[in-house]
Amino acid sequence: MENPALPSEQIKSDEIDPTFRYSRNELIDTFNRVRAFTEEITEPLEIEDYVVQVTENASPAKWHLAHTTWFFETFLLEKELKDYDPIHPQYSYLFNSYYLQTGVPHCRARRGNISRPTVKQVFEYRKSINEHVAGLIKNATDEQYKKWAPIIEIGIHHEQQHQELLMTDLKYMFAQNPLNITYKEADRPKVKSVPELSWSSFGEGVYEVGHKGDDFGYDNEFPRHKTYIHDFELANRLVTNAEFIEFIESGAYGEPKWWLDEGFSTVRDEGWNAPLYWEKRDGEWWQFTLSGMEKIDPNEPVTHVSYFEADAYALWRGYRLPTEFEWEVAAESMEVTGNFADAANLHPVALQNARSGLQQMFGDVWQWTQSSYAPYPGYKPLPGALGEYNGKFMCNQYVLRGGSCATSKSHFRKTYRNFFHANERWQFTGIRLAK
């Protein structure tokens, strides 16, 4: 799924923002850096890897490269430059995702059927749009810059979101290949053990949650508002592979008492008996990673579990999943450090340098919450096509918090609300317990 990404209501594409965060040179540098990282992700690929689509939810690498480029062309260049001539008139059809107000998009499930434009032509498309955007920033009047810069910032964050999707889509694709493909080697740090589970306590009260408006934010993080929270406790660390193996070995996948009804039906229908990418060989658990098949490290956080599995595990342990607001209140005073994409580990890592208090709150895995994805009080989607980013997806999904090992640190905020359907497992999703 392409999760949406919107600016705060304070930054609309048709308004002038006199306090925009970036100078022109800073914006060009950020734009170039983010665009270059997308192409860095594709460097290990062979030409055959760019077009494969193994499931509707996982788009081909070539499509991600083109779609993030189409975004700048559609929402900036075509709208703001009177003499702009599109690279190809059909690109707006092929590389649209779900923005119906910009035109009818090509069928999502058939993105892998398109061999043309070629990979070379897509990279040429990216180069051309990069040059146009950089030129637009340099040559804009001050009034034009204040109007256009927020749109470019949206496109930058949109691209970072697709970088994460690109990495997880590539992992899902390579996992289907019996040749045990290695995307890229990564030497993750190891530990001999992790501390026992402990708890941090938080008192009941009325708390403010949501984005404060002092930086970039998607519209689903607004408006900031008050909410009442009961006393709660949050686990000091993420659930590990070893702990989840105990759940598996207990036979819990076959016991309906731990599962939501739809969850147990999914387990039976899909034949689940472990997280995605896990398999048992000669009595030992292995998993597929972006660095190939590996024996399970018992101390690393468990990942690629669905909401159903996270909820069942929490019940089996006698606890529950946190609400998204409990998670945000607990995280508010913490420094954002962790195993993000910038660390290039390509996988969650075991807890390093254990200490008291909450750890592993950021990076590693997106943490399931028990909160349904819904609008905040007073939420209003933005007008026009950009309003299709978020509001129309607020149904039958759950919120995840914290970022993952595939999330860029500069893209993450403590108020970031990711969301997926309860049965989805191909993202780096994991578990933190609450009580």
Side-chain angles (χ1 to χ4, degrees):
M1 152 178 179
E2 295 114 32
N3 280 2
L6 279 179
S8 70
E9 288 199 54
Q10 291 91 332
I11 303 175
K12 297 181 181 179
S13 62
D14 59 351
E15 293 180 349
I16 293 174
D17 177 13
T19 59
F20 189 69
R21 289 175 286 280
Y22 295 101
S23 69
R24 295 183 191 229
N25 287 339
E26 288 171 337
L27 185 59
I28 290 173
D29 288 345
T30 301
F31 173 79
N32 288 336
R33 174 176 51 79
V34 170
R35 295 283 283 171
F37 184 58
T38 306
E39 297 183 17
E40 181 182 327
I41 293 171
T42 64
E43 282 180 3
L45 303 183
E46 299 294 343
I47 199 70
E48 291 83 358
D49 298 325
Y50 282 88
V51 185
V52 176
Q53 182 178 19
V54 293
T55 181
E56 180 179 350
N57 283 344
S59 297
K62 185 177 72 171
W63 186 88
H64 284 292
L65 290 167
H67 169 71
T68 51
T69 305
W70 166 90
F71 189 96
F72 290 104
E73 184 176 49
T74 299
F75 291 106
L76 181 68
L77 301 179
E78 289 185 353
K79 287 185 179 298
E80 304 298 340
L81 300 181
K82 294 181 180 179
D83 59 347
Y84 179 75
D85 185 20
I87 303 299
H88 194 293
Q90 284 294 85
Y91 284 6
S92 62
Y93 166 64
L94 287 177
F95 302 128
N96 185 359
S97 53
Y98 47 69
Y99 301 91
L100 298 179
Q101 294 181 57
T102 66
V104 178
H106 179 252
C107 179
R108 178 177 181 175
R110 297 175 184 169
R111 291 170 182 169
N113 296 356
I114 306 303
S115 61
R116 306 296 176 92
T118 65
V119 173
K120 179 182 178 182
Q121 288 172 321
V122 166
F123 276 103
E124 290 172 349
Y125 177 39
R126 288 180 65 86
K127 184 174 183 293
S128 175
I129 298 303
N130 288 353
E131 292 171 352
H132 274 89
V133 172
L136 183 145
I137 295 171
K138 291 176 182 177
N139 299 321
T141 66
D142 288 345
E143 294 300 297
Q144 288 172 329
Y145 177 71
K146 291 173 183 178
K147 178 183 180 183
W148 296 340
I151 305 172
I152 297 169
E153 187 182 37
I154 299 168
I156 287 170
H157 281 273
H158 171 261
E159 180 131 359
Q160 288 182 304
Q161 198 164 32
H162 275 271
Q163 290 166 355
E164 182 164 357
L165 290 166
L166 175 57
M167 291 178 66
T168 51
D169 288 358
L170 288 172
K171 181 173 184 177
Y172 193 81
M173 177 190 73
F174 285 132
Q176 315 308 311
N177 194 315
L179 298 181
N180 185 23
I181 305 298
T182 296
Y183 162 75
K184 186 187 292 185
E185 296 288 351
D187 186 18
R188 299 195 301 278
K190 306 292 183 181
V191 298
K192 293 183 178 179
S193 63
V194 295
E196 292 295 318
L197 211 63
S198 62
W199 302 88
S200 292
S201 300
F202 299 85
E204 70 175 349
V206 176
Y207 292 88
E208 284 197 349
V209 295
H211 203 298
K212 296 179 180 179
D214 54 352
D215 203 345
F216 177 84
Y218 296 163
D219 74 333
N220 64 359
E221 301 167 47
F222 292 88
R224 190 164 175 85
H225 62 284
K226 293 182 175 67
T227 187
Y228 179 80
I229 301 176
H230 292 275
D231 292 335
F232 72 96
E233 296 180 65
L234 210 59
N236 63 314
R237 57 166 175 79
L238 299 169
V239 171
T240 65
N241 288 326
E243 290 167 328
F244 202 83
I245 287 173
E246 293 176 3
F247 173 73
I248 298 171
E249 304 286 343
S250 75
Y253 271 90
E255 297 180 348
K257 64 181 178 179
W258 307 122
W259 299 84
L260 295 168
D261 181 67
E262 185 179 342
F264 195 66
S265 295
T266 302
V267 166
R268 288 183 300 177
D269 293 346
E270 300 296 330
W272 291 354
N273 61 9
L276 182 64
Y277 302 126
W278 283 35
E279 64 177 79
K280 207 166 192 179
R281 296 180 177 180
D282 300 323
E284 293 185 307
W285 285 104
W286 290 68
Q287 66 179 336
F288 181 79
T289 73
L290 284 165
S291 300
M293 286 297 295
E294 298 179 357
K295 189 180 294 186
I296 294 286
D297 183 331
N299 298 314
E300 290 179 343
V302 66
T303 189
H304 297 299
V305 291
S306 65
Y307 175 84
F308 293 138
E309 290 162 298
D311 178 75
Y313 175 83
L315 182 61
W316 179 80
R317 284 289 301 268
Y319 305 119
R320 62 174 174 83
L321 300 177
T323 69
E324 65 165 318
F325 299 133
E326 289 172 340
W327 188 97
E328 186 173 324
V329 165
E332 186 167 21
S333 63
M334 297 181 66
E335 180 185 359
V336 177
T337 60
N339 176 34
F340 289 99
D342 315 61
N345 286 312
L346 304 176
H347 199 79
V349 300
L351 175 60
Q352 311 290 307
N353 306 315
R355 60 185 184 279
S356 61
L358 296 174
Q359 296 187 81
Q360 296 180 307
M361 286 291 282
F362 312 113
D364 284 312
V365 295
W366 285 103
Q367 301 162 46
W368 285 107
T369 75
Q370 63 175 242
S371 298
S372 296
Y373 181 50
Y376 286 170
Y379 167 79
K380 294 180 181 179
L382 296 183
L386 286 179
E388 296 187 54
Y389 270 63
N390 253 327
K392 68 182 185 181
F393 295 103
M394 291 176 172
C395 180
N396 297 331
Q397 305 198 58
Y398 286 89
V399 175
L400 302 95
R401 294 298 193 107
S404 82
C405 57
T407 310
S408 290
K409 185 179 178 182
S410 63
H411 177 57
F412 178 75
R413 300 161 304 286
K414 297 173 190 176
T415 55
Y416 196 127
R417 305 174 75 203
N418 204 351
F419 53 93
F420 287 104
H421 294 284
N423 65 328
E424 291 177 322
R425 316 199 291 174
W426 98 107
Q427 288 296 313
F428 287 101
T429 50
I431 310 170
R432 182 181 298 274
L433 298 173
K435 64 176 181 177

